[in-house]
Amino acid sequence: MTTASRPAPPPIRTHKDGRNWVGKSIRRLEDPKFLRGRGGYIGDMTLPGMLHVAVLSSPYAHARITGINTDAALAAPGVHAVITGAQAAELTDPLPDFGPNPAAHTWRCLAVEKVRYVGEGVAVVVADSRYLAEDALALIDVEYEPLPPVVDPERALDEGAPLVHEDLGSNCAYERTFQFGEVDRDFADADVVITDRLRWRRSGGQPLETVGAIADFEVATGQLTVHTNSLSFTSYLFMVAGTLKIPANKLDIRPMPAGGSFGSKLFATKPAVIAAMCSRAVGRPVVYLEDRIDNISNCDHHGSDRVYDVQLALMRDGTMRSIKIDTVDDYGAYIQFGVGHHGNALAQVVGPYRIASVEYRVRAALTNKNQQGAYRGFGSEVNNWMLEQMVDKAARELGLDPVEIRRHNFIRDFPYFIPTGNVYDSGDYDGVLDKALKLAEYDHWRAEQVKAREEGRYIGIGLITAQERSVFSATEFWFWFDTPGAPVTSMPESVTLKVDATGGITATLYSCAFWGNSPETMVAQLVAEEFDCDPHDVSIVYQGSKNGLPATGPGGSRTTVMLAGAVEGATAKIKAKARRATGYMLEANPDDLEWVDGGYQVKGSPEARKTLAEIAVMLHLFKHSFPEDMESGLEESKVFDHPYTTMPSADRKDLGVFYPFMGHACHVPVIEVDIETGQVSFLSYAAVHDCGTLVNPRSLAGHIVGGTAQGIGTALYEEFVYDEEGQLLTSSYLDYLIPTAIEVPELKIGHHETPSPWTPHGIKGGGEGGRMMAPAAINVAVNDALAPLGVRLTELPMTPDRILAAIRAARESR
Amino acid sequence: MKPPPFRYAAPTSVEEVLDLLAANADAEPRVLAGGQSLVPLMNFRLAQPGFLVDLRLVEALTTLRTERDVLVIGAMVRQSAVERSPEVALAAPLLVEALGYVAHPPIRNSGTVGGSLAHADPSAELPAVALALDAELLTAGPSGTRTIPAAEFFRGPFTTALEPGEILTEVRIPRREGVGGYAFVEFARTHGNFALVGVAAVIEMEKDIVTGASITLSGVASTPVRAAAAERALAGTSADAATIEVAVDAAADELSPAGDLHGSTATRTDIARSCLRGGIQLALSRAQDRR
Amino acid sequence: MDKYDITLIVNGRSSTVSVEPRKLLVDVLREDLGLKGTHIGCEHGVCGTCTVLLKGRSIRSCITFAVQADGAEIRTVEGLANGADLHPLQDEFWTKQGLQCGYCTPGMLMRACEIIEQNPDPSPEQVREGIASNLCRCTGYQFIIEAVCAAAGRMRGEEQRPDQATMPTEAKA
Ligand SMILES: Cc1cc2nc3c(=O)[nH]c(=O)nc-3n(C[C@H](O)[C@H](O)[C@H](O)COP(=O)(O)OP(=O)(O)OC[C@H]3O[C@@H](n4cnc5c(N)ncnc54)[C@H](O)[C@@H]3O)c2cc1C
Ligand code: FES
Ligand code: FES
């Protein structure tokens, strides 16, 4: 092994019992303003003199731009500026891009010589209103010379395929085969090898609010202020400043609440760059807020789009030995995050199973489509689906029970290093499975299934057990290459806690925007736990990038764990100071004091006591009562670095620890397929999740249901369909089908709590789990239903068209 | 996604509507009913009429009444009003059942019966219902009024027998209180969305024998179509399970729906079979219950 | 283009505004009347984010021209609460966590208002079918349905407000 020099894990924590606030389903602090329609989203903000941008988008998948005439548009009423791609390329540098070799597939805010997908921006209009801006778009005359498009990812890799980026010389942006462990030996030892070819087609987050930015460039000072609902702004700030060719310290990015993200507002830098470019050009505040067409066709955030060829090696008794995964991922026209999505997959590539070795080949294909970005799961949900289809197929072919084959292979000793080098901190997969079987009434439904089959009905039960990684470290963005792009990255989050003179507590969050998660509620519950106050009395401030502390921003289910660490750290500092101050106030030795119910008191004599408010007022107003080295006030910050991340080995046979806090879930949907229409309907759906210690169980349950609803979309309804010419056929919600309340069943939710040994309170992240499980579970369920017909679906979404085609094919082959 | 500019008027009489349409003929005028089809098209800038004549203040188009043997529904009656009308429930329960599948209640609160018929979406429910119920459509235009049978009104996708400058004023549906059974059955991928296939069926029986069947489909051709083969197959039989299968097959054999991203020709035909079977069975069982 | 003077009676207050006929009702509410609670999601009638009540009935304000609403009574989310007191629907959405990002919430609340006004005692299935007119991308609908049923119960006078000890009120913050 090449992992010999792995650093020691962080110390094991002991978690306190009898928590007061962590674990309570309190009402969320965030909600009252939203309930009153006073959310203050980006679309709700107007600055004096603000102008509106609309983007002209390409009607072609692939074409050379041979001419643009903007004269008529410039002369249209209310128009202040028209900027073409060529002009934009002078005003701005390429957009932030983590892809391999970005210079060979340059990504800009507007297309320059060539358009590479339907919807790519070609020019922008700045006008008095969005109405007038759209009127002027129609007056821009663009001449295109259509080029042959490349749409299928495998054809894109063929010799002689039309090139999306000539500079790259091929459409393969990345290719590598990794081997973790003794793959050849394990395959040779295995009794059977199950193979399959699987296809996961692209869907996307599609939050109901689109992405937008308001930019206000102050000519006099060179200061640029950007208000945006795009997340992770402290991470991308300096890169956006680079794109705009301004000093980073002249850019202030201020977060706005986001009306949903699901990944799709992470690093959404293009709207901010467009708004800023336009504001600088016209000298006034400018808003660019995508409309739904922009957001569907030009959002840079379509989800994974993969073809898999997989081989799973097992013993006849179901013991899994090794897996070979070969995947082509259709990234679209650009590749902003590189193949980080596959890092996510590799964090939990073997699922909850003891699989000793893994071969992973990934090829990133570029095609004439909107590029991939982030969607809840970031590529790990696809791996879950792939692995569970393989396990399910293995059980069927080996004649094993689907529950038992899983149980037989479960990991039970923690911490557990998987072949890729990542660690699973803790887990109780049997406990989750047992709970799920009970909650789902599994045996009852198996009996129902037998009866239904006799009546000619097709009921299927989909049982899957899979992982939910949390708290990423950025190594997964660069371990793809032999020379590290960086040493191990810390990815911190920060919190400042301030106790005012009355004892009231304000928490300041950095790079932490709201997007439907509950950062305020989480932090308030954590603060209340530490200070024994009412969480609804805690005040929360979201800090913009100016005066911000180091922070990364949400993503990879990291927020709650990282904020918990920061709150814990800041609390410790505050309490240390308060303890010392109390010592002086009570003329007691600080070591003899204990924190009890919101104040410090002398151990054994509780009447000698000071509340936080009493301590705070002294520290704020009467500093001279304390020694020289104590400063006025009671305010402390903590920059909390990633608690456990390690370097990959030089040969990349071990990728190190990069996603250590491993959640787990078991989903059991029961479905019925109408074999005449291909309609899938739910009869029951149970889900048990283990995300470590719960902070607000109802919030987590809400995320599980919501994520599952999105997973149902991915499994059955949602797909961005491009035809052979690269035309996007699903450019409205009449064709891109988001599940309504009728398509989403009522879920039975169970929680299981296996604390992490390495995080405050034992919390693990849990925001993405529903969508990481549901597609796999529903696919297994559909195949279970249709097994008597000899039908097995291997492609998502399982539309009526695909289901009926498979049934017809099975009939014909009989 | 903002609509293009247009000139606008909201007159109160049919005559004024016709005059405005005539006077602005060169501006590609259109009438605006509920706007539930037209405004989305304008937001996408797929429709760019230069003049809109809003029908909402034209009292004459809002009638909803029963005459001796017909139910009369003014073009501007909102779909949700029809749905809630006890008169319609008696005279044309098929229409009420079908309306339950048209979009969502908030859209039916604005959308009109006339708008749906005049829009002539091949997937829409109401045109298939109008055809199944042998409705007549009354129009008013520069050269007077016309009465057009539903079978002649729908000419192609989004195309009707209406001439430029002519509007639909009302639809007249023969009353069928207490006669036979009816059913509307459809398959849509998500709730409230346009259906892939819809089936409207009306079946009359006497002493266990089918004496009349009117069955139409939406979504399988450029206009709603009559499943004449199925009607013939059922007529004069007791409509047992085997006969229903013969009827379904006969109707399906005549179909060749165009494929699209939601379903190939084969898929749509499969689904049409299912809807036909479901529609016929439900209408039959209601006809039998009636006796 | 010519502008038209129209009068909208929004949440009981009458306002006259001068608008281009093409201006969508949602934009007039948000921009001309400053009522930002009605949101825009798709602008083609599918998502229901823009739902308001027009003459007591839910409509999509993104596919309605403001001129079509001339003279009409309109209710928006801003009219739900009575000062510091949340409407039972708002209160139950809060308690049951019937919202996450809050973007669909105003439209959902207005649609729920209509559902309860039409049927004060809806079953969970009826609520599910009723709110299927509106998309929510966050919640998976389950807690919205629970909230609407609980609010309907309270409005019928059958159920009490939730336990105030674990559910501190808004005013307290
Ligand atoms: C999200 C969504 C889902 C939908 N789903 C369905 C569905 O499942 N099934 C379905 O059938 N419909 C559906 N619709 C369309 C809806 O039913 C419309 O209400 C209906 O098709 C048009 O009615 P309207 O009154 O709104 O007409 P408008 O949109 O005002 O007009 C439609 C067209 O008809 C013309 N027109 C209207 N009235 C007349 C008249 N009296 N004389 C001459 N021409 C006239 C107009 O000029 C325009 O061209 C849906 C709409 C939306 C937004
Ligand atoms: S914004 Fe009006 S329905 Fe989507
Ligand atoms: S709460 Fe976010 S869309 Fe409903």
Side-chain angles (χ1 to χ4, degrees):
Chain A
M1 281 292 277
T2 43
T3 51
S5 58
R6 184 180 281 126
I12 304 284
R13 289 162 171 266
T14 44
H15 305 304
K16 81 169 185 179
D17 299 326
R19 297 184 195 92
N20 291 320
W21 291 108
V22 168
K24 272 225 168 81
S25 293
I26 67 162
R27 304 215 273 195
R28 301 196 319 163
L29 273 75
E30 291 86 351
D31 289 350
K33 59 181 177 293
F34 297 113
L35 289 164
R36 289 170 179 273
R38 303 183 63 86
Y41 302 97
I42 185 82
D44 302 349
M45 185 171 187
T46 5
L47 297 181
M50 187 171 88
L51 302 174
H52 298 254
V53 175
V55 176
L56 181 68
S57 53
S58 166
Y60 290 100
H62 197 190
R64 208 166 294 291
I65 301 170
T66 52
I68 292 197
N69 186 333
T70 60
D71 295 348
L74 264 169
V79 170
H80 292 251
V82 180
I83 300 174
T84 65
Q87 291 164 331
E90 286 171 18
L91 298 169
T92 64
D93 278 343
L95 290 161
D97 189 333
F98 302 90
N101 194 9
H105 38 78
T106 307
W107 177 41
R108 292 182 172 279
C109 66
L110 295 173
V112 184
E113 281 153 8
K114 200 165 106 149
V115 289
R116 294 185 171 83
Y117 57 96
V118 168
E120 183 165 22
V122 175
V124 294
V125 171
V126 189
D128 285 331
S129 74
R130 176 85 195 195
Y131 288 80
L132 294 170
E134 289 188 28
D135 292 349
L137 288 186
L139 302 174
I140 300 177
D141 193 12
V142 187
E143 277 173 41
Y144 294 100
E145 178 193 312
L147 298 168
V150 35
V151 181
D152 180 88
E154 289 177 297
R155 296 290 72 73
L157 299 180
D158 287 348
E159 200 69 39
L163 293 181
V164 180
H165 294 272
E166 284 79 6
D167 288 351
L168 189 61
S170 96
N171 293 318
C172 187
Y174 180 84
E175 173 172 9
R176 185 158 179 172
T177 305
F178 294 85
Q179 288 229 343
F180 307 106
E182 304 292 328
V183 177
D184 292 340
R185 184 200 64 198
D186 292 339
F187 263 80
D189 288 352
D191 294 333
V192 282
V193 175
I194 307 292
T195 63
D196 213 347
R197 187 174 165 78
L198 303 166
R199 185 75 175 90
W200 169 291
R201 293 190 182 267
R202 57 174 59 201
S203 54
Q206 286 298 305
L208 289 187
E209 183 212 38
T210 57
V211 187
I214 296 175
D216 190 0
F217 183 74
E218 183 54 66
V219 189
T221 58
Q223 173 73 36
L224 174 67
T225 306
V226 174
H227 307 264
T228 181
N229 58 6
S230 165
L231 313 172
S232 351
F233 55 92
T234 42
S235 296
Y236 64 65
L237 174 119
F238 68 96
M239 299 181 235
V240 164
T243 297
L244 292 167
K245 305 196 260 197
I246 61 171
N249 63 0
K250 290 283 186 187
L251 173 60
D252 184 16
I253 302 186
R254 303 201 184 151
M256 307 290 283
S261 163
F262 321 110
S264 76
K265 285 174 182 159
L266 286 181
F267 266 83
T269 52
K270 197 161 75 186
V273 166
I274 287 177
M277 171 181 78
C278 294
S279 175
R280 203 155 44 161
V282 298
R284 283 170 61 171
V286 166
V287 60
Y288 173 51
L289 178 56
E290 296 172 336
D291 65 17
R292 186 53 59 188
I293 305 177
D294 295 324
N295 188 257
I296 289 178
S297 65
N298 189 20
C299 62
D300 306 309
H301 276 283
H302 284 184
S304 295
D305 191 352
R306 295 186 192 168
V307 187
Y308 277 106
D309 285 293
V310 194
Q311 304 175 47
L312 177 63
L314 306 93
M315 307 312 288
R316 220 165 282 291
D317 69 354
T319 307
M320 300 177 207
R321 300 298 299 264
S322 183
I323 189 164
K324 288 187 190 172
I325 300 162
D326 182 351
T327 183
V328 175
D329 204 337
D330 182 347
Y331 272 87
Y334 302 96
I335 181 164
Q336 59 180 336
F337 296 135
V339 287
H341 311 83
H342 293 271
N344 258 259
L346 289 170
Q348 56 183 51
V349 65
V350 295
Y353 311 118
R354 278 172 283 129
I355 299 177
S357 57
V358 176
E359 181 178 288
Y360 198 91
R361 179 185 191 209
V362 51
R363 281 173 291 168
L366 298 180
T367 61
N368 293 114
K369 297 176 189 161
N370 177 55
Q371 70 175 327
Q372 279 193 29
Y375 185 22
R376 218 171 190 172
F378 205 75
S380 63
E381 78 285 21
V382 196
N383 190 84
N384 280 357
W385 164 78
M386 173 274 296
L387 183 60
E388 289 302 304
Q389 298 326 299
M390 296 308 295
V391 172
D392 191 59
K393 188 173 188 187
R396 239 169 248 293
E397 292 196 3
L398 295 173
L400 298 171
D401 181 89
V403 177
E404 290 319 313
I405 189 173
R406 288 175 168 84
R407 209 190 277 282
H408 179 69
N409 286 283
F410 273 164
I411 293 164
R412 295 196 177 81
D413 303 317
F414 298 94
Y416 183 91
F417 287 91
I418 67 169
T420 60
N422 193 38
V423 72
Y424 295 175
D425 56 343
S426 65
D428 173 16
Y429 306 152
D430 295 285
V432 171
L433 178 58
D434 291 340
K435 240 182 212 172
L437 292 173
K438 199 154 165 241
L439 189 67
E441 301 177 273
Y442 185 80
D443 295 334
H444 160 77
W445 283 110
R446 282 282 174 221
E448 286 296 304
Q449 183 180 39
V450 173
K451 275 190 252 164
R453 281 190 180 154
E454 283 161 12
E455 297 162 14
R457 290 170 58 205
Y458 294 85
I459 287 184
I461 301 160
L463 179 127
I464 62 114
T465 54
Q467 304 301 80
E468 178 179 10
R469 84 288 173 277
S470 73
V471 193
F472 79 100
S473 130
T475 42
E476 65 163 342
F477 287 97
W478 55 258
F479 57 44
W480 305 100
F481 308 102
D482 288 322
T483 38
V488 71
T489 32
S490 74
M491 317 292 290
E493 295 299 339
S494 302
V495 165
T496 300
L497 294 181
K498 174 181 174 147
V499 183
D500 65 29
T502 70
I505 302 175
T506 300
T508 303
L509 313 183
Y510 302 91
S511 194
C512 190
F514 169 87
W515 75 98
N517 55 339
S518 324
E520 298 172 45
T521 307
M522 294 302 138
V523 167
Q525 286 187 251
L526 292 160
V527 167
E529 189 64 51
E530 300 278 9
F531 289 99
D532 307 312
C533 60
D534 184 327
H536 288 85
D537 290 339
V538 178
S539 237
I540 308 283
V541 174
Y542 296 99
Q543 178 67 44
S545 66
K546 266 260 145 77
N547 310 320
L549 293 176
T552 307
S557 290
R558 72 198 312 276
T559 309
T560 305
V561 169
M562 295 300 289
L563 290 179
V567 167
E568 179 189 65
T571 301
K573 293 187 194 176
I574 292 217
K575 282 193 174 167
K577 185 168 179 182
R579 176 192 285 267
R580 195 165 160 227
T582 310
Y584 284 101
M585 290 161 71
L586 293 175
E587 295 181 0
N589 180 346
D591 294 340
D592 293 339
L593 299 174
E594 59 180 350
W595 179 267
V596 177
D597 197 19
Y600 273 112
Q601 63 194 37
V602 177
K603 284 181 198 151
S605 41
E607 65 293 342
R609 167 180 171 84
K610 293 289 172 194
T611 64
L612 187 61
E614 289 165 340
I615 305 165
V617 74
M618 288 297 292
L619 278 171
H620 274 273
L621 301 181
F622 306 107
K623 194 244 124 134
H624 293 302
S625 314
F626 299 105
E628 193 65 11
D629 67 326
M630 279 183 90
E631 287 177 12
S632 283
L634 191 49
E635 174 173 343
E636 299 287 351
S637 296
K638 173 68 183 177
V639 181
F640 182 68
D641 289 302
H642 194 294
Y644 190 11
T645 169
T646 66
M647 286 290 279
S649 68
D651 58 6
R652 299 299 188 263
K653 287 186 179 301
D654 183 306
L655 301 174
V657 173
F658 56 99
Y659 242 135
F661 311 125
M662 193 56 63
H664 177 80
C666 176
H667 275 217
V668 191
V670 182
I671 57 98
E672 178 163 1
V673 183
D674 177 338
I675 63 158
E676 292 183 346
T677 62
Q679 166 128 311
V680 176
S681 43
F682 289 90
L683 306 179
S684 164
Y685 200 128
V688 176
H689 282 244
D690 183 351
C691 307
T693 302
L694 294 169
V695 181
N696 186 315
R698 192 154 177 101
S699 293
L700 182 71
H703 280 278
I704 293 170
V705 186
T708 300
Q710 287 182 324
I712 288 170
T714 303
L716 300 172
Y717 300 105
E718 296 179 35
E719 180 181 352
F720 296 115
V721 181
Y722 288 87
D723 71 7
E724 285 166 13
E725 296 304 311
Q727 282 300 326
L728 179 58
L729 302 182
T730 50
S731 54
S732 88
Y733 280 172
L734 288 175
D735 292 316
Y736 186 86
L737 303 175
I738 293 177
T740 76
I742 293 294
E743 282 75 49
V744 180
E746 181 166 332
L747 253 63
K748 285 181 264 186
I749 294 168
H751 296 301
H752 196 72
E753 291 183 81
T754 312
S756 172
W758 295 319
T759 65
H761 303 288
I763 302 166
K764 302 182 188 184
E768 301 171 84
R771 185 168 179 272
M772 288 170 69
M773 311 298 153
I778 296 165
N779 198 162
V780 169
V782 168
N783 287 344
D784 188 47
L786 297 180
L789 298 175
V791 170
R792 181 179 148 77
L793 273 287
T794 54
E795 182 170 2
L796 296 191
M798 295 174 286
T799 60
D801 204 27
R802 292 197 176 112
I803 290 178
L804 290 179
I807 292 174
R808 285 193 298 265
R811 284 207 176 116
E812 273 156 29
S813 72
R814 282 208 178 157
Chain B
M1 291 183 66
K2 304 297 182 190
F6 54 85
R7 283 175 295 129
Y8 171 85
T12 53
S13 71
V14 171
E15 295 71 47
E16 284 172 275
V17 171
L18 299 179
D19 288 348
L20 281 162
L21 289 174
N24 294 284
D26 52 356
E28 297 186 33
R30 284 221 206 176
V31 295
L32 173 65
Q36 302 301 287
S37 293
L38 184 54
V39 184
L41 285 172
M42 291 176 69
N43 287 359
F44 281 110
R45 299 203 179 212
L46 294 172
Q48 310 216 9
F51 197 101
L52 279 190
V53 183
D54 189 343
L55 301 182
R56 80 193 145 92
L57 300 178
V58 184
E59 281 280 342
L61 301 179
T62 58
T63 181
L64 175 59
R65 62 179 195 275
T66 38
E67 290 180 358
R68 239 161 23 109
D69 49 4
V70 286
L71 171 71
V72 182
I73 305 176
M76 279 303 287
V77 178
R78 307 287 167 178
Q79 292 156 3
S80 62
V82 175
E83 226 180 329
R84 288 193 306 271
S85 155
E87 279 173 284
V88 181
L90 277 177
L94 173 65
L95 177 56
V96 177
E97 183 156 284
L99 276 168
Y101 292 103
V102 176
H104 301 282
I107 291 169
R108 302 200 290 270
N109 283 336
S110 291
T112 63
V113 171
S116 178
L117 295 171
H119 192 56
D121 188 315
S123 306
E125 290 80 3
L126 297 194
V129 169
L131 188 61
L133 294 178
D134 295 320
E136 289 181 332
L137 294 99
L138 261 63
T139 71
S143 43
T145 60
R146 296 198 283 161
T147 302
I148 308 174
E152 290 164 29
F153 187 75
F154 303 103
R155 295 289 171 84
F158 309 101
T159 312
T160 66
L162 286 171
E163 303 280 346
E166 190 178 32
I167 66 164
L168 179 62
T169 52
E170 60 189 42
V171 49
R172 301 171 69 86
I173 299 172
R175 289 169 63 178
R176 319 180 62 93
E177 267 108 318
V179 191
Y182 65 91
F184 195 91
V185 170
E186 73 168 38
F187 180 83
R189 287 198 56 201
T190 51
H191 183 75
N193 206 332
F194 282 98
L196 270 70
V197 179
V199 167
V202 183
I203 294 179
E204 285 166 27
M205 298 190 85
E206 237 168 74
K207 301 211 177 87
D208 291 335
I209 298 298
V210 174
T211 53
S214 177
I215 303 169
T216 62
L217 295 109
S218 60
V220 293
S222 61
T223 64
V225 291
R226 188 170 280 290
E231 294 172 355
R232 280 193 304 273
L234 291 172
T237 73
S238 60
D240 56 11
T243 312
I244 294 176
E245 279 319 301
V246 171
V248 168
D249 284 343
D253 285 348
E254 292 187 344
L255 300 178
S256 179
D260 72 357
L261 77 146
H262 298 300
S264 63
T265 298
T267 290
R268 282 177 186 264
T269 309
D270 281 354
I271 293 173
R273 261 174 218 283
S274 165
C275 292
L276 279 163
R277 186 180 303 110
I280 293 170
Q281 281 171 348
L282 182 58
L284 267 174
S285 72
R286 284 174 174 159
Q288 284 156 355
D289 288 348
R290 267 266 153 81
R291 290 173 311 110
Chain C
M1 279 294 149
D2 291 345
K3 291 197 170 183
Y4 284 74
D5 288 342
I6 58 167
T7 301
L8 304 175
I9 304 139
V10 184
N11 303 325
R13 245 187 110 87
S14 172
S15 313
T16 301
V17 286
S18 188
V19 299
E20 261 192 275
R22 65 157 153 174
K23 196 151 187 186
L24 300 169
L25 178 59
V26 66
D27 287 331
V28 170
L29 291 170
R30 291 174 54 82
E31 293 168 12
D32 299 65
L33 301 180
L35 297 170
K36 308 279 192 181
T38 305
H39 298 153
I40 293 176
C42 70
E43 290 182 298
H44 55 282
V46 181
C47 73
T49 307
C50 62
T51 305
V52 300
L53 300 185
L54 181 92
K55 299 180 201 160
R57 301 249 163 220
S58 64
I59 61 147
R60 313 285 217 214
S61 63
C62 74
I63 51 172
T64 305
F65 296 120
V67 287
Q68 291 177 279
D70 187 15
E73 282 207 27
I74 294 170
R75 279 154 64 198
T76 69
V77 69
E78 287 90 349
L80 279 182
N82 182 4
D85 289 338
L86 292 178
H87 185 280
L89 273 166
Q90 292 170 309
D91 204 45
E92 290 299 336
F93 266 61
W94 191 13
T95 303
K96 300 274 193 258
Q97 299 198 14
L99 67 159
Q100 286 175 27
C101 80
Y103 202 73
C104 71
T105 309
M108 278 287 181
L109 288 167
M110 298 322 287
R111 174 73 181 122
C113 260
E114 182 189 36
I115 292 170
I116 295 180
E117 279 166 16
Q118 288 182 356
N119 175 6
D121 192 5
S123 67
E125 292 70 35
Q126 287 169 325
V127 172
R128 184 175 283 279
E129 175 156 6
I131 61 148
S133 57
N134 289 41
L135 296 180
C136 172
R137 195 57 165 156
C138 297
T139 63
Y141 308 103
Q142 191 158 324
F143 295 170
I144 294 178
I145 295 165
E146 288 180 18
V148 175
C149 291
R154 262 170 67 187
M155 289 162 75
R156 292 191 306 272
E158 284 166 18
E159 278 157 46
Q160 296 301 306
R161 293 199 63 175
D163 175 8
Q164 297 299 301
T166 52
M167 308 291 178
T169 59
E170 183 184 6
K172 225 184 134 191

